[in-house]
Amino acid sequence: MARRRRTSIGTGRPSPYVYAMLAVVLIAAMFPFYWSFLIGSGDQSSIYDQNLSWWPGGNFLANASEVINNDAVKFWKALSNSIIVSTVTAASTVLLSTLAGFAFAKLRFKGSGPLLVAVIATMAVPVQLGVVPLYIAMSKLGWTGNIGAVILPALVTAFGVFWMTQYLSQSLPTELIEAARVDGCSMLRTFWHLGLTSARPAAAMLALFTFVTTWNNFLWPLIVLDPQSPTLPLALSLLQANYFVDYSLVLAGVLIATVPLLLLFIFAGRQLVSGIMQGAVKG
């Protein structure tokens, strides 16, 4: 019976209930996007219509064009800033977090345990508490108003260090590192060829989450950036700055800002699922 049950679990096809549950989850996840598209494809009068149709209107391209060509939004400048900030932050977080995780997981040095605990403890500190000292530091550096002030504090995160430490401690055998050292490989080359290779699935997941978090970040860029050089969330918030808000334009702009993230998930989704599954199995 046990053998038959294992065979059923390993090779059997999911039941119709599983497909039904997945369909419900998919509809629930996609509904906000469809609702945004529904409002973004109409005009400002259709939003207040109590008999709002569930079929999209025909004004989405016009609304999107108005958002892109709006002089107050500075869409292309904001888009380039968001791409630069998110890409640099994701790349640096992956590299530095993997380097720190490799050291904590595989190197033995004095004070490594308390130092890792101190790094993890910083995750309990609310982000809002660090805003004032961080702004003073950026002001003294003369970086306020520059996108460098958004990139520098996010070059590495405590979560990234903790995540890569846990992953490398289980996925990279210590014997493999010792064999590389015996063969004359330096520690930096050992990290580059063994550490980064072993951490690839977890690094892909960390890069995706860091990119999305940075892309959607609003508070710190609002404080430190110049209004003439915003990121995309700041630029789109200007659509709501007037006394009368045209929500069809706002939601059309939100959908445009979501397109790069959807493309990222489409092209890197397999690595993300692989990273999550391997982390779950090893955990």
mmCIF file of all heavy atoms in Angstrom, residues 93-109 112-113 115-117 119-120 123 156-172 174 191 195 198-199 202-203 206 282:
data_model
loop_
_atom_site.group_PDB
_atom_site.id
_atom_site.type_symbol
_atom_site.label_atom_id
_atom_site.label_comp_id
_atom_site.label_asym_id
_atom_site.label_seq_id
_atom_site.Cartn_x
_atom_site.Cartn_y
_atom_site.Cartn_z
ATOM 1 N N THR A 93 23.706 43.763 -4.474
ATOM 2 C CA THR A 93 23.179 42.978 -3.352
ATOM 3 C C THR A 93 23.510 41.504 -3.515
ATOM 4 O O THR A 93 23.911 40.830 -2.554
ATOM 5 C CB THR A 93 21.653 43.167 -3.251
ATOM 6 O OG1 THR A 93 21.367 44.543 -2.994
ATOM 7 C CG2 THR A 93 21.080 42.320 -2.123
ATOM 8 N N VAL A 94 23.374 40.988 -4.721
ATOM 9 C CA VAL A 94 23.693 39.578 -4.957
ATOM 10 C C VAL A 94 25.181 39.316 -4.729
ATOM 11 O O VAL A 94 25.564 38.362 -4.038
ATOM 12 C CB VAL A 94 23.276 39.180 -6.384
ATOM 13 C CG1 VAL A 94 23.874 37.826 -6.752
ATOM 14 C CG2 VAL A 94 21.768 39.125 -6.496
ATOM 15 N N LEU A 95 26.037 40.155 -5.305
ATOM 16 C CA LEU A 95 27.479 39.929 -5.189
ATOM 17 C C LEU A 95 27.967 40.057 -3.742
ATOM 18 O O LEU A 95 28.646 39.160 -3.221
ATOM 19 C CB LEU A 95 28.227 40.916 -6.088
ATOM 20 C CG LEU A 95 29.758 40.796 -6.078
ATOM 21 C CD1 LEU A 95 30.180 39.417 -6.572
ATOM 22 C CD2 LEU A 95 30.394 41.873 -6.941
ATOM 23 N N LEU A 96 27.600 41.161 -3.081
ATOM 24 C CA LEU A 96 28.083 41.388 -1.713
ATOM 25 C C LEU A 96 27.447 40.435 -0.716
ATOM 26 O O LEU A 96 28.102 39.982 0.226
ATOM 27 C CB LEU A 96 27.820 42.847 -1.316
ATOM 28 C CG LEU A 96 28.561 43.900 -2.162
ATOM 29 C CD1 LEU A 96 28.190 45.306 -1.716
ATOM 30 C CD2 LEU A 96 30.065 43.688 -2.096
ATOM 31 N N SER A 97 26.174 40.124 -0.904
ATOM 32 C CA SER A 97 25.512 39.186 0.013
ATOM 33 C C SER A 97 26.084 37.782 -0.145
ATOM 34 O O SER A 97 26.265 37.060 0.846
ATOM 35 C CB SER A 97 24.002 39.168 -0.254
ATOM 36 O OG SER A 97 23.422 40.421 0.016
ATOM 37 N N THR A 98 26.385 37.374 -1.381
ATOM 38 C CA THR A 98 26.987 36.058 -1.597
ATOM 39 C C THR A 98 28.389 36.008 -1.012
ATOM 40 O O THR A 98 28.792 34.994 -0.416
ATOM 41 C CB THR A 98 27.032 35.733 -3.101
ATOM 42 O OG1 THR A 98 25.726 35.895 -3.661
ATOM 43 C CG2 THR A 98 27.487 34.309 -3.331
ATOM 44 N N LEU A 99 29.137 37.081 -1.160
ATOM 45 C CA LEU A 99 30.486 37.135 -0.591
ATOM 46 C C LEU A 99 30.442 37.035 0.935
ATOM 47 O O LEU A 99 31.188 36.256 1.552
ATOM 48 C CB LEU A 99 31.171 38.430 -1.026
ATOM 49 C CG LEU A 99 32.635 38.613 -0.630
ATOM 50 C CD1 LEU A 99 33.492 37.516 -1.259
ATOM 51 C CD2 LEU A 99 33.143 39.984 -1.070
ATOM 52 N N ALA A 100 29.540 37.810 1.554
ATOM 53 C CA ALA A 100 29.413 37.758 3.018
ATOM 54 C C ALA A 100 28.863 36.409 3.468
ATOM 55 O O ALA A 100 29.320 35.840 4.484
ATOM 56 C CB ALA A 100 28.490 38.889 3.497
ATOM 57 N N GLY A 101 27.888 35.885 2.719
ATOM 58 C CA GLY A 101 27.331 34.580 3.086
ATOM 59 C C GLY A 101 28.352 33.472 2.979
ATOM 60 O O GLY A 101 28.382 32.547 3.797
ATOM 61 N N PHE A 102 29.214 33.546 1.968
ATOM 62 C CA PHE A 102 30.295 32.555 1.819
ATOM 63 C C PHE A 102 31.237 32.616 3.020
ATOM 64 O O PHE A 102 31.656 31.575 3.550
ATOM 65 C CB PHE A 102 31.051 32.838 0.525
ATOM 66 C CG PHE A 102 32.201 31.910 0.268
ATOM 67 C CD1 PHE A 102 31.985 30.635 -0.235
ATOM 68 C CD2 PHE A 102 33.508 32.310 0.529
ATOM 69 C CE1 PHE A 102 33.049 29.773 -0.470
ATOM 70 C CE2 PHE A 102 34.571 31.454 0.294
ATOM 71 C CZ PHE A 102 34.336 30.191 -0.205
ATOM 72 N N ALA A 103 31.565 33.825 3.471
ATOM 73 C CA ALA A 103 32.470 33.972 4.619
ATOM 74 C C ALA A 103 31.830 33.438 5.902
ATOM 75 O O ALA A 103 32.467 32.705 6.671
ATOM 76 C CB ALA A 103 32.855 35.443 4.791
ATOM 77 N N PHE A 104 30.562 33.790 6.132
ATOM 78 C CA PHE A 104 29.905 33.331 7.358
ATOM 79 C C PHE A 104 29.664 31.818 7.341
ATOM 80 O O PHE A 104 29.711 31.162 8.392
ATOM 81 C CB PHE A 104 28.560 34.055 7.532
ATOM 82 C CG PHE A 104 28.684 35.439 8.074
ATOM 83 C CD1 PHE A 104 28.138 36.516 7.395
ATOM 84 C CD2 PHE A 104 29.346 35.674 9.278
ATOM 85 C CE1 PHE A 104 28.250 37.801 7.891
ATOM 86 C CE2 PHE A 104 29.459 36.961 9.785
ATOM 87 C CZ PHE A 104 28.911 38.027 9.090
ATOM 88 N N ALA A 105 29.370 31.264 6.160
ATOM 89 C CA ALA A 105 28.993 29.852 6.092
ATOM 90 C C ALA A 105 30.192 28.926 6.061
ATOM 91 O O ALA A 105 30.147 27.826 6.630
ATOM 92 C CB ALA A 105 28.129 29.620 4.858
ATOM 93 N N LYS A 106 31.297 29.340 5.410
ATOM 94 C CA LYS A 106 32.383 28.401 5.152
ATOM 95 C C LYS A 106 33.727 28.794 5.733
ATOM 96 O O LYS A 106 34.652 27.989 5.695
ATOM 97 C CB LYS A 106 32.536 28.208 3.633
ATOM 98 C CG LYS A 106 31.313 27.566 2.990
ATOM 99 C CD LYS A 106 31.038 26.188 3.595
ATOM 100 C CE LYS A 106 29.739 25.597 3.132
ATOM 101 N NZ LYS A 106 29.442 24.306 3.801
ATOM 102 N N LEU A 107 33.870 30.002 6.251
ATOM 103 C CA LEU A 107 35.152 30.405 6.831
ATOM 104 C C LEU A 107 35.012 30.482 8.342
ATOM 105 O O LEU A 107 33.965 30.855 8.858
ATOM 106 C CB LEU A 107 35.593 31.765 6.273
ATOM 107 C CG LEU A 107 35.756 31.854 4.752
ATOM 108 C CD1 LEU A 107 36.281 33.228 4.368
ATOM 109 C CD2 LEU A 107 36.690 30.763 4.231
ATOM 110 N N ARG A 108 36.040 30.106 9.000
ATOM 111 C CA ARG A 108 36.058 30.147 10.462
ATOM 112 C C ARG A 108 36.961 31.291 10.897
ATOM 113 O O ARG A 108 38.163 31.255 10.698
ATOM 114 C CB ARG A 108 36.569 28.824 11.033
ATOM 115 C CG ARG A 108 35.662 27.656 10.723
ATOM 116 C CD ARG A 108 34.334 27.778 11.482
ATOM 117 N NE ARG A 108 33.414 26.721 11.080
ATOM 118 C CZ ARG A 108 32.463 26.887 10.165
ATOM 119 N NH1 ARG A 108 32.302 28.068 9.579
ATOM 120 N NH2 ARG A 108 31.655 25.901 9.845
ATOM 121 N N PHE A 109 36.373 32.312 11.489
ATOM 122 C CA PHE A 109 37.156 33.443 11.993
ATOM 123 C C PHE A 109 36.539 33.919 13.300
ATOM 124 O O PHE A 109 35.351 33.701 13.575
ATOM 125 C CB PHE A 109 37.227 34.582 10.967
ATOM 126 C CG PHE A 109 35.887 35.085 10.506
ATOM 127 C CD1 PHE A 109 35.277 36.163 11.145
ATOM 128 C CD2 PHE A 109 35.223 34.487 9.440
ATOM 129 C CE1 PHE A 109 34.049 36.631 10.728
ATOM 130 C CE2 PHE A 109 33.996 34.948 9.006
ATOM 131 C CZ PHE A 109 33.417 36.022 9.652
ATOM 132 N N SER A 112 32.695 35.466 14.274
ATOM 133 C CA SER A 112 31.773 35.309 13.147
ATOM 134 C C SER A 112 30.330 35.120 13.623
ATOM 135 O O SER A 112 29.396 35.662 13.026
ATOM 136 C CB SER A 112 32.199 34.122 12.284
ATOM 137 O OG SER A 112 32.167 32.916 13.029
ATOM 138 N N GLY A 113 30.150 34.351 14.711
ATOM 139 C CA GLY A 113 28.806 34.114 15.229
ATOM 140 C C GLY A 113 28.127 35.393 15.706
ATOM 141 O O GLY A 113 27.024 35.737 15.242
ATOM 142 N N LEU A 115 28.879 38.430 15.005
ATOM 143 C CA LEU A 115 28.744 39.372 13.890
ATOM 144 C C LEU A 115 27.537 39.030 13.015
ATOM 145 O O LEU A 115 26.791 39.918 12.584
ATOM 146 C CB LEU A 115 30.026 39.344 13.052
ATOM 147 C CG LEU A 115 30.138 40.398 11.946
ATOM 148 C CD1 LEU A 115 29.996 41.804 12.526
ATOM 149 C CD2 LEU A 115 31.450 40.242 11.199
ATOM 150 N N LEU A 116 27.301 37.728 12.779
ATOM 151 C CA LEU A 116 26.132 37.324 12.000
ATOM 152 C C LEU A 116 24.847 37.653 12.756
ATOM 153 O O LEU A 116 23.855 38.105 12.145
ATOM 154 C CB LEU A 116 26.200 35.818 11.691
ATOM 155 C CG LEU A 116 25.035 35.252 10.886
ATOM 156 C CD1 LEU A 116 24.929 35.940 9.531
ATOM 157 C CD2 LEU A 116 25.190 33.746 10.711
ATOM 158 N N VAL A 117 24.853 37.455 14.069
ATOM 159 C CA VAL A 117 23.672 37.804 14.876
ATOM 160 C C VAL A 117 23.402 39.311 14.803
ATOM 161 O O VAL A 117 22.251 39.747 14.689
ATOM 162 C CB VAL A 117 23.871 37.367 16.339
ATOM 163 C CG1 VAL A 117 22.757 37.910 17.217
ATOM 164 C CG2 VAL A 117 23.926 35.848 16.431
ATOM 165 N N VAL A 119 24.162 41.295 12.315
ATOM 166 C CA VAL A 119 23.624 41.588 10.984
ATOM 167 C C VAL A 119 22.135 41.237 10.921
ATOM 168 O O VAL A 119 21.311 42.008 10.423
ATOM 169 C CB VAL A 119 24.410 40.814 9.905
ATOM 170 C CG1 VAL A 119 23.730 40.944 8.554
ATOM 171 C CG2 VAL A 119 25.830 41.331 9.816
ATOM 172 N N ILE A 120 21.783 40.064 11.466
ATOM 173 C CA ILE A 120 20.373 39.645 11.445
ATOM 174 C C ILE A 120 19.522 40.568 12.300
ATOM 175 O O ILE A 120 18.364 40.874 11.960
ATOM 176 C CB ILE A 120 20.260 38.182 11.921
ATOM 177 C CG1 ILE A 120 20.993 37.249 10.946
ATOM 178 C CG2 ILE A 120 18.807 37.765 12.052
ATOM 179 C CD1 ILE A 120 21.081 35.825 11.415
ATOM 180 N N MET A 123 17.578 43.573 10.919
ATOM 181 C CA MET A 123 16.306 43.413 10.216
ATOM 182 C C MET A 123 15.120 43.785 11.093
ATOM 183 O O MET A 123 14.026 44.025 10.599
ATOM 184 C CB MET A 123 16.161 41.973 9.710
ATOM 185 C CG MET A 123 17.117 41.611 8.594
ATOM 186 S SD MET A 123 16.722 40.046 7.770
ATOM 187 C CE MET A 123 17.085 38.874 9.059
ATOM 188 N N VAL A 156 23.798 46.441 -0.132
ATOM 189 C CA VAL A 156 23.722 45.099 0.456
ATOM 190 C C VAL A 156 22.670 45.147 1.559
ATOM 191 O O VAL A 156 22.464 46.194 2.189
ATOM 192 C CB VAL A 156 25.088 44.665 1.018
ATOM 193 C CG1 VAL A 156 25.540 45.549 2.151
ATOM 194 C CG2 VAL A 156 25.069 43.204 1.445
ATOM 195 N N THR A 157 21.972 44.034 1.746
ATOM 196 C CA THR A 157 20.908 43.980 2.757
ATOM 197 C C THR A 157 21.186 42.859 3.747
ATOM 198 O O THR A 157 21.841 41.859 3.416
ATOM 199 C CB THR A 157 19.542 43.738 2.096
ATOM 200 O OG1 THR A 157 19.566 42.466 1.426
ATOM 201 C CG2 THR A 157 19.223 44.836 1.100
ATOM 202 N N ALA A 158 20.656 43.031 4.964
ATOM 203 C CA ALA A 158 20.821 42.000 5.991
ATOM 204 C C ALA A 158 20.095 40.722 5.594
ATOM 205 O O ALA A 158 20.588 39.605 5.830
ATOM 206 C CB ALA A 158 20.293 42.516 7.327
ATOM 207 N N PHE A 159 18.937 40.870 4.960
ATOM 208 C CA PHE A 159 18.215 39.680 4.512
ATOM 209 C C PHE A 159 19.026 38.904 3.476
ATOM 210 O O PHE A 159 19.072 37.669 3.501
ATOM 211 C CB PHE A 159 16.859 40.072 3.923
ATOM 212 C CG PHE A 159 16.172 38.927 3.214
ATOM 213 C CD1 PHE A 159 15.558 37.921 3.940
ATOM 214 C CD2 PHE A 159 16.167 38.852 1.823
ATOM 215 C CE1 PHE A 159 14.945 36.855 3.292
ATOM 216 C CE2 PHE A 159 15.560 37.795 1.183
ATOM 217 C CZ PHE A 159 14.944 36.786 1.913
ATOM 218 N N GLY A 160 19.677 39.634 2.566
ATOM 219 C CA GLY A 160 20.481 38.972 1.556
ATOM 220 C C GLY A 160 21.629 38.187 2.164
ATOM 221 O O GLY A 160 21.915 37.050 1.756
ATOM 222 N N VAL A 161 22.304 38.780 3.156
ATOM 223 C CA VAL A 161 23.417 38.086 3.820
ATOM 224 C C VAL A 161 22.906 36.840 4.531
ATOM 225 O O VAL A 161 23.502 35.755 4.438
ATOM 226 C CB VAL A 161 24.114 39.041 4.809
ATOM 227 C CG1 VAL A 161 25.174 38.293 5.604
ATOM 228 C CG2 VAL A 161 24.743 40.213 4.061
ATOM 229 N N PHE A 162 21.789 36.971 5.245
ATOM 230 C CA PHE A 162 21.232 35.829 5.968
ATOM 231 C C PHE A 162 20.801 34.728 5.007
ATOM 232 O O PHE A 162 21.068 33.545 5.235
ATOM 233 C CB PHE A 162 20.045 36.292 6.807
ATOM 234 C CG PHE A 162 19.286 35.171 7.449
ATOM 235 C CD1 PHE A 162 19.847 34.461 8.503
ATOM 236 C CD2 PHE A 162 18.017 34.816 7.006
ATOM 237 C CE1 PHE A 162 19.148 33.415 9.099
ATOM 238 C CE2 PHE A 162 17.333 33.770 7.585
ATOM 239 C CZ PHE A 162 17.893 33.064 8.633
ATOM 240 N N TRP A 163 20.148 35.113 3.907
ATOM 241 C CA TRP A 163 19.648 34.146 2.932
ATOM 242 C C TRP A 163 20.798 33.370 2.293
ATOM 243 O O TRP A 163 20.755 32.147 2.188
ATOM 244 C CB TRP A 163 18.823 34.875 1.888
ATOM 245 C CG TRP A 163 18.467 34.073 0.681
ATOM 246 C CD1 TRP A 163 19.002 34.161 -0.561
ATOM 247 C CD2 TRP A 163 17.482 33.030 0.605
ATOM 248 N NE1 TRP A 163 18.422 33.246 -1.411
ATOM 249 C CE2 TRP A 163 17.484 32.546 -0.723
ATOM 250 C CE3 TRP A 163 16.603 32.467 1.532
ATOM 251 C CZ2 TRP A 163 16.641 31.526 -1.137
ATOM 252 C CZ3 TRP A 163 15.772 31.448 1.105
ATOM 253 C CH2 TRP A 163 15.788 30.995 -0.207
ATOM 254 N N MET A 164 21.841 34.071 1.877
ATOM 255 C CA MET A 164 22.950 33.401 1.216
ATOM 256 C C MET A 164 23.771 32.574 2.204
ATOM 257 O O MET A 164 24.327 31.526 1.839
ATOM 258 C CB MET A 164 23.851 34.426 0.520
ATOM 259 C CG MET A 164 23.164 35.240 -0.567
ATOM 260 S SD MET A 164 22.254 34.268 -1.778
ATOM 261 C CE MET A 164 23.568 33.358 -2.535
ATOM 262 N N THR A 165 23.869 33.029 3.477
ATOM 263 C CA THR A 165 24.567 32.229 4.486
ATOM 264 C C THR A 165 23.880 30.892 4.683
ATOM 265 O O THR A 165 24.526 29.830 4.713
ATOM 266 C CB THR A 165 24.628 32.992 5.816
ATOM 267 O OG1 THR A 165 25.311 34.233 5.622
ATOM 268 C CG2 THR A 165 25.363 32.183 6.871
ATOM 269 N N GLN A 166 22.562 30.927 4.839
ATOM 270 C CA GLN A 166 21.808 29.690 5.034
ATOM 271 C C GLN A 166 21.921 28.780 3.817
ATOM 272 O O GLN A 166 22.047 27.565 3.950
ATOM 273 C CB GLN A 166 20.340 30.022 5.314
ATOM 274 C CG GLN A 166 20.105 30.723 6.624
ATOM 275 C CD GLN A 166 20.508 29.845 7.802
ATOM 276 O OE1 GLN A 166 21.521 30.091 8.450
ATOM 277 N NE2 GLN A 166 19.735 28.809 8.076
ATOM 278 N N TYR A 167 21.853 29.361 2.630
ATOM 279 C CA TYR A 167 21.879 28.536 1.421
ATOM 280 C C TYR A 167 23.246 27.892 1.217
ATOM 281 O O TYR A 167 23.339 26.690 0.962
ATOM 282 C CB TYR A 167 21.521 29.394 0.212
ATOM 283 C CG TYR A 167 21.313 28.582 -1.040
ATOM 284 C CD1 TYR A 167 20.062 28.031 -1.335
ATOM 285 C CD2 TYR A 167 22.355 28.358 -1.931
ATOM 286 C CE1 TYR A 167 19.877 27.264 -2.467
ATOM 287 C CE2 TYR A 167 22.174 27.604 -3.076
ATOM 288 C CZ TYR A 167 20.929 27.058 -3.339
ATOM 289 O OH TYR A 167 20.748 26.302 -4.469
ATOM 290 N N LEU A 168 24.307 28.689 1.346
ATOM 291 C CA LEU A 168 25.651 28.151 1.094
ATOM 292 C C LEU A 168 26.086 27.160 2.165
ATOM 293 O O LEU A 168 26.856 26.237 1.879
ATOM 294 C CB LEU A 168 26.656 29.301 1.002
ATOM 295 C CG LEU A 168 26.588 30.134 -0.281
ATOM 296 C CD1 LEU A 168 27.513 31.330 -0.201
ATOM 297 C CD2 LEU A 168 26.946 29.274 -1.496
ATOM 298 N N SER A 169 25.615 27.334 3.390
ATOM 299 C CA SER A 169 26.001 26.397 4.453
ATOM 300 C C SER A 169 25.488 24.988 4.169
ATOM 301 O O SER A 169 26.048 24.009 4.673
ATOM 302 C CB SER A 169 25.485 26.896 5.806
ATOM 303 O OG SER A 169 24.063 26.920 5.814
ATOM 304 N N GLN A 170 24.415 24.870 3.358
ATOM 305 C CA GLN A 170 23.832 23.561 3.076
ATOM 306 C C GLN A 170 24.134 23.055 1.663
ATOM 307 O O GLN A 170 24.089 21.856 1.416
ATOM 308 C CB GLN A 170 22.317 23.626 3.280
ATOM 309 C CG GLN A 170 21.913 24.007 4.689
ATOM 310 C CD GLN A 170 20.417 24.147 4.849
ATOM 311 O OE1 GLN A 170 19.647 23.682 4.038
ATOM 312 N NE2 GLN A 170 20.008 24.809 5.916
ATOM 313 N N SER A 171 24.397 23.966 0.748
ATOM 314 C CA SER A 171 24.555 23.530 -0.646
ATOM 315 C C SER A 171 26.005 23.351 -1.065
ATOM 316 O O SER A 171 26.281 22.654 -2.043
ATOM 317 C CB SER A 171 23.888 24.550 -1.581
ATOM 318 O OG SER A 171 24.553 25.800 -1.510
ATOM 319 N N LEU A 172 26.936 23.979 -0.352
ATOM 320 C CA LEU A 172 28.349 23.913 -0.752
ATOM 321 C C LEU A 172 29.131 23.078 0.259
ATOM 322 O O LEU A 172 29.333 23.497 1.406
ATOM 323 C CB LEU A 172 28.934 25.332 -0.832
ATOM 324 C CG LEU A 172 30.392 25.445 -1.272
ATOM 325 C CD1 LEU A 172 30.587 24.837 -2.653
ATOM 326 C CD2 LEU A 172 30.840 26.905 -1.275
ATOM 327 N N THR A 174 31.996 21.596 2.475
ATOM 328 C CA THR A 174 33.269 22.146 2.947
ATOM 329 C C THR A 174 34.449 21.389 2.356
ATOM 330 O O THR A 174 35.509 21.964 2.097
ATOM 331 C CB THR A 174 33.321 22.089 4.487
ATOM 332 O OG1 THR A 174 32.173 22.754 5.019
ATOM 333 C CG2 THR A 174 34.574 22.764 5.026
ATOM 334 N N PHE A 191 35.883 31.301 -4.071
ATOM 335 C CA PHE A 191 34.550 31.917 -3.969
ATOM 336 C C PHE A 191 33.952 32.127 -5.353
ATOM 337 O O PHE A 191 32.770 31.846 -5.584
ATOM 338 C CB PHE A 191 34.667 33.259 -3.248
ATOM 339 C CG PHE A 191 33.487 34.158 -3.481
ATOM 340 C CD1 PHE A 191 32.270 33.901 -2.862
ATOM 341 C CD2 PHE A 191 33.588 35.261 -4.323
ATOM 342 C CE1 PHE A 191 31.174 34.718 -3.095
ATOM 343 C CE2 PHE A 191 32.491 36.075 -4.558
ATOM 344 C CZ PHE A 191 31.289 35.807 -3.934
ATOM 345 N N GLY A 195 31.708 29.215 -4.905
ATOM 346 C CA GLY A 195 30.650 29.877 -4.143
ATOM 347 C C GLY A 195 29.559 30.434 -5.034
ATOM 348 O O GLY A 195 28.355 30.156 -4.833
ATOM 349 N N SER A 198 27.570 27.591 -6.882
ATOM 350 C CA SER A 198 26.630 26.867 -6.028
ATOM 351 C C SER A 198 25.436 27.736 -5.636
ATOM 352 O O SER A 198 24.336 27.220 -5.424
ATOM 353 C CB SER A 198 27.351 26.387 -4.758
ATOM 354 O OG SER A 198 28.419 25.545 -5.088
ATOM 355 N N ALA A 199 25.646 29.046 -5.548
ATOM 356 C CA ALA A 199 24.593 29.939 -5.074
ATOM 357 C C ALA A 199 23.716 30.480 -6.195
ATOM 358 O O ALA A 199 22.878 31.354 -5.948
ATOM 359 C CB ALA A 199 25.221 31.103 -4.306
ATOM 360 N N ALA A 202 19.732 30.510 -5.645
ATOM 361 C CA ALA A 202 19.356 31.445 -4.579
ATOM 362 C C ALA A 202 19.676 32.880 -4.976
ATOM 363 O O ALA A 202 18.933 33.811 -4.628
ATOM 364 C CB ALA A 202 20.093 31.084 -3.290
ATOM 365 N N ALA A 203 20.767 33.064 -5.715
ATOM 366 C CA ALA A 203 21.129 34.410 -6.159
ATOM 367 C C ALA A 203 20.097 34.962 -7.142
ATOM 368 O O ALA A 203 19.787 36.157 -7.115
ATOM 369 C CB ALA A 203 22.512 34.388 -6.802
ATOM 370 N N LEU A 206 17.164 36.104 -5.056
ATOM 371 C CA LEU A 206 17.507 37.335 -4.336
ATOM 372 C C LEU A 206 17.541 38.531 -5.281
ATOM 373 O O LEU A 206 17.076 39.623 -4.940
ATOM 374 C CB LEU A 206 18.855 37.157 -3.645
ATOM 375 C CG LEU A 206 19.374 38.365 -2.847
ATOM 376 C CD1 LEU A 206 18.409 38.701 -1.710
ATOM 377 C CD2 LEU A 206 20.767 38.079 -2.301
ATOM 378 N N LYS A 282 16.132 21.996 0.860
ATOM 379 C CA LYS A 282 17.292 21.983 1.741
ATOM 380 C C LYS A 282 16.920 22.414 3.139
ATOM 381 O O LYS A 282 17.506 22.015 4.120
ATOM 382 C CB LYS A 282 18.396 22.897 1.186
ATOM 383 C CG LYS A 282 18.997 22.369 -0.114
ATOM 384 C CD LYS A 282 20.014 23.327 -0.664
ATOM 385 C CE LYS A 282 20.522 22.849 -2.015
ATOM 386 N NZ LYS A 282 21.129 21.540 -1.949
#
